[in-house]
Amino acid sequence: MNEVEAKPVWHRRNLLDINSLSREEIEALFKTAHSFREVSTRSVKKVPALRGQVVVNLFYEPSTRTRISFTLAAQRLSADVVDFIADASSISKGETLVDTANNIIAMGVDTIVLRHPAPGAARFLASNVDVAVVNAGDGAHSHPTQGLLDLYTLLDNLGSLEGRRVAIVGDISHSRVARSGMLAFRKFGAEVVLVGPPTLVPRSFSELEGVTISHSLDAVLGDVDAICLLRMQRERQGAGLFPSLEEYSRLFGMNSERLQRCRDDVLILHPGPMNRGIEITPDVADGERSRVLAQVTNGLAVRMAVLYMVAGGSA
Amino acid sequence: MNEVEAKPVWHRRNLLDINSLSREEIEALFKTAHSFREVSTRSVKKVPALRGQVVVNLFYEPSTRTRISFTLAAQRLSADVVDFIADASSISKGETLVDTANNIIAMGVDTIVLRHPAPGAARFLASNVDVAVVNAGDGAHSHPTQGLLDLYTLLDNLGSLEGRRVAIVGDISHSRVARSGMLAFRKFGAEVVLVGPPTLVPRSFSELEGVTISHSLDAVLGDVDAICLLRMQRERQGAGLFPSLEEYSRLFGMNSERLQRCRDDVLILHPGPMNRGIEITPDVADGERSRVLAQVTNGLAVRMAVLYMVAGGSA
Amino acid sequence: MNEVEAKPVWHRRNLLDINSLSREEIEALFKTAHSFREVSTRSVKKVPALRGQVVVNLFYEPSTRTRISFTLAAQRLSADVVDFIADASSISKGETLVDTANNIIAMGVDTIVLRHPAPGAARFLASNVDVAVVNAGDGAHSHPTQGLLDLYTLLDNLGSLEGRRVAIVGDISHSRVARSGMLAFRKFGAEVVLVGPPTLVPRSFSELEGVTISHSLDAVLGDVDAICLLRMQRERQGAGLFPSLEEYSRLFGMNSERLQRCRDDVLILHPGPMNRGIEITPDVADGERSRVLAQVTNGLAVRMAVLYMVAGGSA
């Protein structure tokens, strides 16, 4: 992409989590993502970067939208894509993750995009196989492309995160999106405030430098540059972690009344799919401060860049 | 496709139903379909018409064969195709149709092929999003590509439908195939007779010009140029709408004995999948008056033409 | 692939079972597979051999790995691939296999890869349709590409099978893998010994020339050049065909202790997915005598060759 590149910043074969990336690597990645984002606006949305290469989506959890985002990203780079949905077929047959992966690899595959319920699954796989591994979510641990696309979206709007303050609101405890976002924003200098009911925000996170915790959304509203809402999993309700969705919505839902108390240029993010009326009201979701669809667009560009970089491309 | 085209007849971005199409638009579409049908007979079954474009099958109902027909149509035009099967993944997560569609669109998609159980879903979507929408069936309302492929097949065999008479036989009430066919055939001048038990033919349809109702297949047999059989949904049996499949078959099933009482050149159509032995006997299904497989072949050509036209191609 | 080929050896449109192939045909196929295997090692893993052709995986049984192997094989030849998973959609709608296939064919398809629970399904289909049919497993009858890839792997390692002795170990009765392997190895001159508990090895097989039966793995260990382990289906346990998985593993499982009693250059094969700790211990599975992953790699090459040959390519 770049004519003169003395020494490429990025030379890793995997994307496993946010923490292991340097700020320089992320910047190199975003530079690539930026040029790929332009490709998606063309009539012919395709570049030959990965022609003749094979990307396999190895998914041990259902996830239509992340899978489709990676699929479109790979297609747009001219790679062939195959889905390996490991449900009935493999898990029930008792095959190990490494055996399944090695089988796939033996067919001549370049990159495995892994979604797995076990934290650490992507790193474990990467250390046991010989192809590129991209973590598409491993339990509550990490979802690095989500963290990166959120970061990309903030930088795209704010220019820089130095001295900025970003709230992440919702069920922090169970969220790999929160973990990945928090780490990504910190790496670029933002202060992060984690907002949610005490049962859903791990107290230990307040020990991280630049991270604070608040149990009141109203208390932080006026003081942040961006608010990243998390999807409230309806399943949590039964587990006694919060009284009801209505209660949650009343205390932590983003609505137009709260939006008016925010800074004029506040950014509202949500990883989707949105529970309209619960963590976000429709007017906010569709309003001019919302960056929800930009996140999706940027997510595709970031995933194109990730697939390109782990395959050996340089920024 | 055509060198000199002063003013293209077709300039719509969507295909939502039969009614909104003019006869001229359908003729332009069929002209395109005709040239695409030839592509499918080649050894290299591919034209670059939609290279670098992305078609998404957004299906809220299972439908292997319609989905595959659209998939092959898109591939044959060199488009990339992604299936978004909205089951567990999205509906259960409570996301709205428009949110799901906007998410897909934000990834850089050109055309959404929508199958949805709610009548009007395609029109609703088209008026809320910015990409081409093709209705692949919305409840009992419309299945326009089916109506068009049936019409194409009749015209391909009969030359013209002026003064012709076409029977549609079966469960008219619940059938988007019947509605779409009826409207398509009327638009090209055919008289339509709807045939079925009184419980399965809405009386109101007899108010349409050129449409009559009969409860006796035997009474109309000798008087029609084509007979479009509908698939009898076995589920209706339990609902008390007709006594039994045997009874239905005896009164409304097409068999060789009935075929002998038809005109020599009668055409037998069926949208598939056929219940052999219920609405059609094997000898008729595989006989020389059957156009069942021609419908499938024509369906692919019509869908190629639709995808091409809504993407901005001209006849 | 070859400049001078006076008369091609292979001129069949189908691959239905091992028995109908001549040794010369298999050799021609393997010659093609050999050149395709090299393609999979390239950075651009793609040749234009089947560009514009369409391969449909028509699968009436779930099988992620065989399906993906055929998919990657077809993609690598530049064919378009569509999966038709005939579950809810078609079988439940009562459509016949031939109707479903003819529907697919009417859309302009070149090759059907069929997986079906009924023995003989592939041959039945091939005699009723007009396109190439590849058997990807029909009940307990045949799984010819598996037999061929096992044969290919043995020849690749041993040069020739004349005078060699190959053991197939496990549930022979229910295994199309065993049947296909046995026939393939015999055709190239190997002696085959079928090993398993009396309840799982059909006595009639001992009537085949060059085939013997043993109920003791220990008795044959030192005397064979290759051991093909079969996957033990856990479901058999409840059927009273053998006492327990532990018992089976103790008597017929391959482990390092048994491996030491084999010839130094013995080859260990397994069709996957492996039950580690049951029919094979991890150290043997991952050890230097194992050819399990080579089988997968060779399987892809063999399937590329099959798709290429039935489409009219010559060795």
Side-chain angles (χ1 to χ4, degrees), chain A residues 51-54 80-85 89-90 93-96 99-100 102-103 106-110, chain C residues 40 43-46 64-65 67-69 71-72 75-76 231 234 273-276 286 293 296-297 300:
Chain A
R51 207 179 73 77
Q53 297 211 12
V54 181
D80 286 321
V81 196
V82 170
D83 287 337
F84 194 121
I85 310 296
S89 164
S90 277
K93 287 190 170 175
E95 196 182 40
T96 66
D99 274 348
T100 299
N102 275 327
N103 254 276
M107 296 186 207
V109 158
D110 301 278
Chain C
S40 296
S43 161
V44 175
K45 278 174 279 297
K46 210 147 183 156
T64 304
R65 81 196 49 226
R67 183 171 52 76
I68 286 183
S69 180
T71 297
L72 288 170
Q75 286 179 342
R76 211 152 285 178
R231 176 177 170 77
R234 290 152 191 268
M274 295 185 282
N275 290 307
R276 288 172 175 261
D286 302 329
L293 293 177
V296 177
T297 301
L300 192 78

Side-chain angles (χ1 to χ4, degrees), chain B residues 170-184:
Chain B
D171 176 2
I172 311 292
S173 298
H174 301 88
S175 174
R176 53 192 173 207
V177 176
R179 270 172 189 68
S180 294
M182 177 175 69
L183 296 170

Side-chain angles (χ1 to χ4, degrees), chain B residues 44-59:
Chain B
V44 175
K45 280 175 278 299
K46 211 149 183 155
V47 290
L50 298 187
R51 207 178 74 76
Q53 296 212 13
V54 181
V55 174
V56 171
N57 290 320
L58 177 55
F59 272 52

